[in-house]
Amino acid sequence: MGEEIELVLDKYRTAGRILAEVREEAKARIEEGVLLLDVAEFVENSIREKGGEPAFPCNISRDEEAAHATPAIDDNAVFGTEIVKLDIGVHVDGYIGDSAVTVDLSGKNDELVKASEAGLNAAIKIIRDGVSTVEIGEAIENAIREHGYKPIVNLTGHGLTRYDAHAAPAIPNVKHKTGVVLRENDVVAIEPFATDGVGKVAEHGNAEIYSLIKAKPVRIKEAKKLLEEIKKYQELPFAKRWLPRERLDLAFRTLEGTRGILRAYPILKEEGDGLVSQAEHTLIVKKDGCEVTTKLP
Ligand code: CO
């Protein structure tokens, strides 16, 4: 039993190490005038070159976008003087690392960037076997407010299980009355978001990210073929631009139009149009602390 756990934890560690390397390399490429698509493809290709697989599409969310933005096929958007969130997922045999950083190309939002980092560090400091998500949420909220910003209340950290990038429990970024106790060898992602807006996000516009809910029978040949392609991502999120282009519109519309096959992830935007920063690491809960898997050694 103990050996089996170590084998699994080692896969989480490998995913985390790949992620940390790719994240640092990608961070350096985020500059004014660079194509978002180039950075996203660099991230996803580098993950594969290093022996992992993307656990979800590279998220590049800017300014009031908090999450779920990823470039479309042939997207020609370039970075401006924005506050950029780079959120990356890597899996090795289904075992996931999830980590995000904020790059401030505006040069004016240092404290906002520090606020979410402080929230993450405050959480990491107290996580150990027996800690409650209530304590974690409180630590994150206090750290963000000390920097003069608000935590985003409807975005949370989460558990990670095999092929599930958003498993229970939800780990709030604010203090709640009730929560869940974390136990030794639980794997969780902590991801505080800070904002100068109202502290809430809502879905906005079209989605470029989807996941498979259930492979139901479809009649159209192209849709059937596309569904077979999508099955290889299991239930992990994928980008529309990852799919084969041949008759994609017809096939995709058929799948999207059949209830219960695909889940869409529209962009999440700050409801008060506030700027948003994010910091995230994946960690393994230990008896007396925690082991961050997505940090460079
Ligand atoms: Co996450």
Side-chain angles (χ1 to χ4, degrees), residues 132 134 172 174-179:
S132 156
V134 174
V174 291
K175 193 188 174 186
H176 277 257
K177 285 207 182 80
T178 57

Side-chain angles (χ1 to χ4, degrees), residues 6-18:
E6 276 311 309
L7 284 177
V8 164
L9 293 183
D10 273 341
K11 289 180 181 174
Y12 279 112
R13 290 179 182 116
T14 304
R17 199 200 58 233
I18 293 170

